[in-house]
Amino acid sequence: MPENEPVIVVEHVSKSVTDSSGTLAILRDIDFVVPPRQTLAIVGASGSGKSTLLSIIAGLDTPSQGTVRLAGRDLFALNEDERAQLRAEQVGFVFQSFQLLGNLTALENVMLPLELAGRRDARAAATEMLGRVGLAERLRHYPKVLSGGEQQRVALARAFVVEPAVLLADEPTGSLDFATGEKVMELMFDLNREQGTTLVLVTHDPAIAQRCERRITIEAGQVL
């Protein structure tokens, strides 16, 4: 895609769900554009719709109305397999709950997206990235014996090892104490600057949001 083309374009995105009690509007007519290498915080109270919006940007959830363009591709003109392929090529994820595979070591967790992409240097690249996040001595440890901060650093290594165009982070310090969370955020922003990644970060923490170049506030499903 052209260097100055927006990495993410969200156009008139709405999301509603209907059950026996009626229809609930989660998102209402959301519009914004994210240029390359920008750091964007999506902020709002719990239940405001910000995590749903992040899932739609990733193509993991579908809007009731509207479109999302990711890396120049119309996400919802693609089928599910095509969206998964686009995510594998362009997107890294960091979640509050780490989402590591418990039966794989730290090294194997970080190697996995590289192996899925057919990279022959998966072991070497994963080893180098785990060293970059300070876990060179923990390569063969399983998630259950790693602290929360260590697990999140493994998750950061897994996200950044593929050098994604976009990093999507959903409350990445939500399961960590303050001091550990600060260290993880410092590392995430350092890696983001080094790789020139476009970062979209969902958080309810104003201090974390202040570290981003731009902030969007979601309240009752709408951009303020």
Side-chain angles (χ1 to χ4, degrees), residues 49-198:
K50 57 189 188 299
S51 290
T52 299
L53 177 57
L54 197 73
S55 291
I56 289 173
I57 292 170
L60 295 168
D61 196 356
T62 54
S64 304
Q65 291 181 311
T67 60
V68 175
R69 295 186 69 82
L70 178 66
R73 307 280 300 278
D74 182 343
L75 271 182
F76 302 106
L78 305 176
N79 64 36
E80 196 168 323
D81 287 343
E82 290 168 335
R83 287 199 296 271
Q85 182 64 32
L86 182 61
R87 281 193 296 271
E89 293 171 353
Q90 302 286 348
V91 183
F93 294 93
V94 180
F95 301 96
Q96 176 177 340
S97 57
F98 317 133
Q99 298 286 351
L100 301 179
L101 295 175
N103 62 329
L104 300 182
T105 64
L107 180 61
E108 290 165 343
N109 267 283
V110 179
M111 286 172 62
L112 185 60
L114 297 170
E115 290 177 324
L116 292 173
R119 287 268 298 268
R120 293 185 177 183
D121 65 339
R123 181 172 294 273
T127 300
E128 182 179 348
M129 183 56 76
L130 281 164
R132 174 65 185 83
V133 301
L135 293 175
E137 306 301 317
R138 309 288 267 168
L139 302 182
R140 291 172 179 79
H141 289 72
Y142 289 90
K144 66 182 179 183
V145 298
L146 299 175
S147 69
E150 287 172 333
Q151 289 186 65
Q152 195 60 299
R153 282 188 279 158
V154 174
L156 283 177
R158 181 183 59 189
F160 279 106
V161 76
V162 296
E163 299 185 4
V166 178
L167 181 72
L168 303 178
D170 191 0
E171 300 282 8
T173 63
S175 298
L176 306 175
D177 63 74
F178 177 78
T180 304
E182 282 286 294
K183 291 175 183 174
V184 165
M185 291 309 300
E186 193 69 42
L187 181 58
M188 188 172 81
F189 280 103
D190 284 350
L191 289 167
N192 200 69
R193 280 190 295 270
E194 288 170 18
Q195 293 194 1
T197 308
T198 302

Side-chain angles (χ1 to χ4, degrees), residues 216-219 222-224:
I216 290 175
T217 301
I218 305 288
E219 187 173 295
Q222 293 179 295
V223 174
L224 290 184

Side-chain angles (χ1 to χ4, degrees), residues 35-55:
R37 293 176 293 280
Q38 185 170 76
T39 55
L40 168 67
I42 299 174
V43 299
S46 179
S48 60
K50 57 189 188 299
S51 290
T52 299
L53 177 57
L54 197 73
S55 291

